[in-house]
C-alpha cells in the first residue's frame, strides 16, 4: 500500500473516530445533568446550600462554550461542511473547552464539607468516579478527552485526601492512585481496540 493511500486511510479513520465521538455528546450532557441533580441531593446535608448553588452555577457557566461548540459541530455537519481535513479542529475545540468544566466539576472534592467530612467526601468521590466510569465507556473514541477527565478527577480526589491527612485519607489517596493507573490502561486498551475496529471496517469496505 502506498504512502498516499496510508495517509488517506489515516485521515478517514480520524474522521470516523471524531464523528463517533460527537454522536455521543448529547448522551454525555444528559448523563451529566442527571448526575449533577442526584449528587446535589445527596451532598446537600454535608455542605451549605449557598456553596452548593455557587458550585452548580459555576459548572453550568463553564460548560456553555463546550455546548456552543457542540451545537456548531452539528450545524456544520448538517450543512455538509465537515471533511477529513477539518474534523480534527472540532475535537481540539472540545478538548480545550473541557478543561475548565472538568476542573469545576471535580472541584466537588474540595467543597467545604460540614459535620462528617469523610462521609461528605465519599459522596463526592462516588459521584466523580461514576462519571469517570461513564466517561471511559463513552469517550473511548477520544483518548485525550477521556484522559483529561481521568487525571483531573482523580487528581482532585487525591489532593483532597492529602490535604485532610490521617490514616483513612492517605489510604484513600493510595486507592485512587491505583484506580488512576488501572483506568489509564483501560482507556488506552479501549481506544486501541476501537481504532483497530475502525481500521478493519474501512479496509473491508
Amino acid at each position: 500500500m502506498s504512502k498516499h493511500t496510508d495517509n488517506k486511510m489515516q485521515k478517514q479513520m480520524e474522521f470516523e473516530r471524531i464523528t463517533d465521538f460527537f454522536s455521543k455528546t448529547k448522551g454525555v450532557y444528559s448523563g451529566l445533568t442527571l448526575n449533577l441533580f442526584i449528587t446535589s441531593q445527596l451532598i446537600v446535608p454535608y455542605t451549605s446550600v449557598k456553596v452548593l448553588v455557587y458550585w452548580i452555577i459555576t459548572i453550568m457557566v463553564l460548560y456553555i462554550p463546550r455546548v456552543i461548540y457542540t451545537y456548531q459541530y452539528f450545524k456544520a455537519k448538517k450543512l455538509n461542511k465537515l471533511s477529513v481535513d477539518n474534523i480534527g479542529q472540532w475535537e481540539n475545540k472540545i478538548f480545550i473547552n473541557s478543561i475548565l468544566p472538568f476542573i469545576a466539576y471535580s472541584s466537588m472534592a474540595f467543597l467545604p464539607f460540614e459535620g462528617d467530612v469523610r462521609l461528605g467526601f465519599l459522596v463526592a468521590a462516588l459521584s466523580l468516579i461514576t462519571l469517570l466510569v461513564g466517561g471511559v465507556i463513552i469517550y473511548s473514541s477520544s483518548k485525550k478527552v477521556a484522559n483529561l477527565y481521568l487525571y483531573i478527577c482523580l487528581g482532585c480526589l487525591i489532593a483532597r485526601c492529602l490535604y485532610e491527612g490521617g490514616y483513612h485519607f492517605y489510604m484513600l489517596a493510595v486507592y485512587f492512585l491505583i484506580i488512576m493507573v488501572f483506568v489509564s490502561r483501560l482507556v488506552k486498551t479501549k481506544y486501541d481496540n476501537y481504532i483497530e475496529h475502525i481500521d478493519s471496517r474501512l479496509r473491508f469496505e
Side-chain angles (χ1 to χ4, degrees):
M1 188 176 289
S2 68
K3 185 176 180 181
H4 174 73
T5 304
D6 283 340
N7 185 51
K8 184 178 180 181
M9 176 72 75
Q10 185 65 34
K11 285 186 175 183
Q12 187 60 39
M13 285 173 61
E14 282 292 284
F15 185 86
E16 295 285 334
R17 180 183 67 77
I18 297 172
T19 300
D20 181 65
F21 167 73
F22 273 96
S23 71
K24 299 171 181 175
T25 52
K26 293 179 181 178
V28 169
Y29 294 138
S30 298
L32 177 67
T33 303
L34 180 61
N35 183 280
L36 187 61
F37 173 76
I38 294 175
T39 299
S40 64
Q41 300 304 305
L42 292 174
I43 211 167
V44 70
Y46 306 104
T47 190
S48 70
V49 174
K50 184 178 180 180
V51 169
L52 193 60
V53 169
Y54 284 150
W55 174 68
I56 292 173
I57 291 175
T58 300
I59 291 172
M60 293 174 66
V61 170
L62 291 177
Y63 259 98
I64 290 175
R66 195 178 193 271
V67 173
I68 290 174
Y69 281 123
T70 302
Y71 170 78
Q72 290 177 339
Y73 165 85
F74 282 108
K75 185 177 180 180
K77 182 180 180 181
K78 187 176 181 180
L79 296 174
N80 295 317
K81 292 184 177 181
L82 301 179
S83 70
V84 294
D85 295 317
N86 67 20
I87 193 72
Q89 71 182 25
W90 292 99
E91 183 186 30
N92 291 334
K93 287 179 180 179
I94 289 295
F95 176 81
I96 293 171
N97 285 281
S98 293
I99 297 173
L100 290 181
F102 286 177
I103 291 174
Y105 204 99
S106 299
S107 70
M108 183 196 319
F110 294 102
L111 289 178
F113 301 116
E114 301 171 351
D116 192 334
V117 174
R118 282 187 297 183
L119 192 53
F121 175 75
L122 287 175
V123 171
L126 176 63
S127 173
L128 291 174
I129 291 178
T130 298
L131 275 182
L132 177 60
V133 172
V136 169
I137 296 172
I138 295 174
Y139 287 140
S140 60
S141 55
S142 181
K143 184 170 63 175
K144 65 180 183 179
V145 175
N147 279 329
L148 178 66
Y149 181 66
L150 165 65
Y151 294 125
I152 290 176
C153 166
L154 291 175
C156 286
L157 290 173
I158 292 171
R160 180 62 188 264
C161 288
L162 296 178
Y163 172 79
E164 292 294 335
Y167 176 78
H168 289 97
F169 278 104
Y170 287 144
M171 288 302 294
L172 280 173
V174 172
Y175 175 69
F176 291 137
L177 185 60
I178 293 172
I179 290 178
M180 182 183 289
V181 172
F182 277 96
V183 175
S184 64
R185 291 181 178 179
L186 178 61
V187 168
K188 183 180 184 304
T189 299
K190 285 185 67 64
Y191 179 80
D192 290 344
N193 290 340
Y194 178 83
I195 293 299
E196 185 177 344
H197 171 73
I198 293 179
D199 181 61
S200 298
R201 180 166 58 81
L202 290 177
R203 289 181 187 279
F204 284 99
E205 283 184 352

